Amino acid sequence: MTTDGGGPTATTVQADEPRWYLSRYDDHVHAFDPDQSSTAYSAALCSHTAPNTRIICTDHGTRCLACLLIHGDQLADRNGDVSWRL
Ligand SMILES: [Zn+2]
């Protein structure tokens, strides 16, 4: 494996990408901000909040529709007019 610093691949997670974790409050997988590890509670893109003790580090389960839509908008804004939008 090379470390040529090439662009992200399908399996690469960027540092500022949300983390898809299961909230035991509503049993849905939400997109949580990765910069909340020092807080007792974490907030998802959809404003769902949960104490870190109720968040499970798995993305298996039903995904939150609001988080999916918000994250999709963020990806579109970040990447501009790319071929998948044509
Ligand atoms: Zn959500």
Side-chain angles (χ1 to χ4, degrees), residues 29-31 44-46 48 64 66-67:
V29 175
H30 295 270
L45 294 179
C46 68
H48 172 84
C64 167
C67 279

Side-chain angles (χ1 to χ4, degrees), residues 21-65:
Y21 292 150
L22 177 67
S23 169
R24 282 294 182 201
Y25 261 5
D26 64 356
D27 284 327
H28 278 72
V29 175
H30 295 270
F32 288 96
D33 186 332
D35 294 330
Q36 300 178 89
S37 59
S38 63
T39 61
Y41 285 79
S42 291
L45 294 179
C46 68
S47 300
H48 172 84
T49 58
N52 291 340
T53 56
R54 301 291 304 270
I55 297 172
I56 309 299
C57 293
T58 179
D59 62 357
H60 293 277
T62 303
R63 295 213 179 198
C64 167
L65 181 59

